[in-house]
Amino acid sequence: MIDVENFKKTGYQLIKGLFTVEEIDQIRQDASNIFLNQMRYLNYPIDNISSDEDFNKLLFQLFEEHPNRLIASGKHIQHLISLHRLSLDERIVSNLQKLGLQVPNICTRPVMFFNAKKLAKKQVYWKTDAHQDWRSMQGSLNSMVVWVALADIDTSLGALEVIPESHKLGLQTTEMVDSFGLIPDDLVKGNQFVPVEVRKGDVLFFSSLLIHQSGDNSTENGIRWSCHFRYNDLSENQFIERGYPHPYVYYPNPDLITPDYPQLEDVTNYFQS
């Protein structure tokens, strides 16, 4: 059940079991299949996978041996139809409206994270320091982040940590680092973070001004799977007055990523097969 008054006070609201385990597992499988395609091409022993840990170990191996293939696969999971469909689900939209977004509008593309130290070249790719999302969104004052658990995430797997009521402090970000609006250390040290442990299918709604950070994934082979959606309110007066600013810039790479591809022979052979 939505507790609007508690949301206004704390800046966040956890709704347990908003999505079924089966729905979440399908999205996870869609993402896994992209990595499995690369593993199959490389003759990894995917037929021996019988658990999440087996899959994770092969994913770690892929990152060690072919990091560019893993990174490219990670980019493609951001464009899964099932992921985008989830961001438009009526269960999310209706709860956004209950929490005050009269006309919810997607702020930027959905994001799926699969965080683990063994899959990261930099800390920010597996653990983020205290930050506010508003700095990268710059939308309506009541803009919101919707964080969907794609796995059971307790403190050992790096549960999200929040500072309750910190959204009332306003914009505290002084700089952007790796696309995250980081918070000054003196403010962070003076506040108590609260971990939000979740089960697969739970959904956390929180203000884009809420200060939060990643917990530590202290597991040996665990991966913290989650997806994040961001929304503005097109009816918010100051957003209208500011001319609906939109900070995201999307453009294609003008160069051929695979040099001299496709050749006419590639096209002819494909369409004749």
Side-chain angles (χ1 to χ4, degrees):
M1 295 291 292
I2 283 286
D3 187 339
V4 176
E5 291 306 313
N6 187 66
F7 172 79
K8 291 179 179 178
K9 177 182 178 182
T10 64
Y12 66 98
Q13 174 78 53
L14 177 64
I15 303 181
K16 293 183 175 295
L18 186 62
F19 297 109
T20 67
V21 170
E22 292 75 18
E23 289 174 298
I24 298 304
D25 283 345
Q26 183 59 60
I27 295 172
R28 279 278 302 275
Q29 188 60 56
D30 291 345
S32 297
N33 286 342
I34 295 177
F35 295 110
L36 288 169
N37 286 339
Q38 291 297 318
M39 294 176 187
R40 184 179 297 108
Y41 172 77
L42 296 166
N43 293 316
Y44 283 17
I46 61 174
D47 291 338
N48 296 333
I49 296 175
S50 61
S51 66
D52 283 345
E53 186 170 3
D54 291 339
F55 174 80
N56 293 353
K57 288 179 178 179
L58 288 183
L59 204 60
F60 299 150
Q61 181 181 344
L62 181 64
F63 180 67
E64 287 294 324
E65 297 175 349
H66 304 277
N68 290 339
R69 288 181 181 271
L70 181 134
I71 291 169
S73 299
K75 290 180 179 178
H76 281 286
I77 69 173
Q78 312 306 325
H79 301 277
L80 286 168
I81 289 175
S82 55
L83 176 66
H84 284 243
R85 184 181 293 123
L86 190 70
S87 73
L88 301 170
D89 192 279
E90 179 58 30
R91 285 165 288 185
I92 287 180
V93 175
S94 62
N95 280 301
L96 286 171
Q97 292 172 327
K98 291 175 183 177
L99 290 172
L101 275 70
Q102 295 181 33
V103 185
N105 194 57
I106 293 173
C107 174
T108 187
R109 295 176 298 196
V111 177
M112 184 185 295
F113 284 121
F114 49 107
N115 301 113
K117 196 171 185 178
K118 293 181 180 179
L119 295 174
K121 293 182 178 180
K122 298 170 62 176
Q123 176 183 303
V124 71
Y125 296 141
W126 72 277
K127 174 179 167 55
T128 57
D129 292 328
H131 63 281
Q132 290 173 307
D133 289 330
W134 195 95
R135 180 61 178 78
S136 59
M137 296 168 65
Q138 300 187 49
S140 62
L141 282 176
N142 60 348
S143 57
M144 201 172 303
V145 179
V146 176
W147 195 94
V148 183
L150 302 181
D152 296 341
I153 304 174
D154 58 13
T155 53
S156 69
L157 199 57
L160 194 74
E161 299 175 351
V162 304
I163 299 180
E165 303 189 36
S166 58
H167 63 305
K168 298 177 183 178
L169 299 174
L171 185 62
Q172 295 293 320
T173 297
T174 57
E175 61 177 334
M176 290 285 288
V177 178
D178 292 313
S179 299
F180 290 94
L182 297 186
I183 303 298
D185 288 339
D186 57 346
L187 177 63
V188 174
K189 292 177 181 178
N191 286 277
Q192 181 67 44
F193 280 94
V194 175
V196 182
E197 295 188 313
V198 290
R199 304 283 292 179
K200 188 186 300 184
D202 291 351
V203 180
L204 181 67
F205 293 75
F206 62 92
S207 165
S208 64
L209 287 166
L210 187 75
I211 298 174
H212 60 287
Q213 65 182 15
S214 303
D216 287 315
N217 180 351
S218 60
T219 63
E220 178 66 23
N221 294 310
I223 297 177
R224 191 185 80 160
W225 287 88
S226 62
C227 58
H228 309 181
F229 310 137
R230 297 179 173 190
Y231 305 87
N232 285 311
D233 182 0
L234 292 177
S235 70
E236 197 266 306
N237 289 334
Q238 293 188 32
F239 193 29
I240 296 171
E241 291 173 9
R242 292 166 53 228
Y244 285 149
H246 193 279
Y248 295 92
V249 179
Y250 305 123
Y251 57 89
N253 187 337
D255 301 319
L256 283 175
I257 297 174
T258 305
D260 302 319
Y261 181 85
Q263 295 290 308
L264 178 58
E265 181 183 6
D266 300 311
V267 176
T268 301
N269 289 339
Y270 179 83
F271 286 104
Q272 285 182 345
S273 63

